[in-house]
Amino acid sequence: MVDVSPKAVSARTAQAEARLRLPAAVAARLKETGGATTKGAVFDTAIVAGVMAAKKTHELIPFCHPIALEDVQISLEFEGEDEIVVRCRATATHKTGVEMEALTGAAAAALTVYDMCKALSPEIVIHRIRLLAKRGGKSDYQACPDSPQSR
């Protein structure tokens, strides 16, 4: 674990995303049912799972510091006909950043969508899990929308 004791406490925010590419039939089904499957409300369940995962990041990822998160927001929306974009924003006032919490929240929410829709098709693809932005600490970061990593 990295020693953060000499660092100053500051407001930290990070935003991450994960994307799911759905077979056309799965996307159509989610749209016509309002996002429900036989397992329940997909987007609502994914939001809860993402928040829970972000709060437990230090239990899942070795060497992550336990952080008292002050806010976690998860959003899911369709982009185009067959893609769901999951975004997670995590906020804390701490000596270390919240990038891993945002990434973990986005990934867990995407995995929850997969779990709740896998009976419809196992060909759902989770891709492009990435950090979009971070603020606070030593340096800020903003992903370039047209960089090779964003495609």
Side-chain angles (χ1 to χ4, degrees):
M1 186 179 259
V2 173
D3 181 7
V4 296
S5 60
K7 290 184 171 185
V9 171
S10 66
R12 316 279 184 136
T13 304
Q15 186 174 8
E17 77 173 12
R19 291 174 174 261
L20 296 104
R21 194 172 312 113
L22 308 175
V26 175
R29 172 80 183 271
L30 286 176
K31 289 175 182 178
E32 54 188 52
T33 64
T37 67
T38 55
K39 283 192 167 188
V42 176
F43 285 20
D44 292 342
T45 305
I47 289 168
V48 173
V51 171
M52 290 175 63
K55 291 168 66 173
K56 293 182 175 276
T57 298
H58 69 282
E59 295 176 20
L60 301 169
I61 309 295
F63 309 120
C64 280
H65 292 83
I67 295 177
L69 292 172
E70 295 163 359
D71 188 34
V72 176
Q73 295 295 318
I74 306 279
S75 66
L76 294 95
E77 62 185 18
F78 273 95
E79 187 172 282
E81 291 298 312
D82 66 347
E83 190 160 81
I84 296 173
V85 180
V86 179
R87 289 198 177 91
C88 176
R89 188 182 75 242
T91 304
T93 304
H94 206 279
K95 293 181 173 197
T96 188
V98 291
E99 301 93 69
M100 291 307 301
E101 287 72 13
L103 287 160
T104 300
L111 287 165
T112 300
V113 172
Y114 184 96
D115 177 58
M116 296 186 75
C117 297
K118 68 182 185 247
L120 301 173
S121 173
E123 294 187 13
I124 299 165
V125 175
I126 299 171
H127 66 110
R128 282 182 55 189
I129 300 172
R130 66 184 182 125
L131 182 67
L132 295 174
K134 80 165 199 82
R135 282 205 160 118
K138 201 179 345 180
S139 62
D140 292 346
Y141 169 79
Q142 181 72 44
C144 297
D146 57 353
S147 70
Q149 292 86 354
S150 68
R151 288 184 216 131

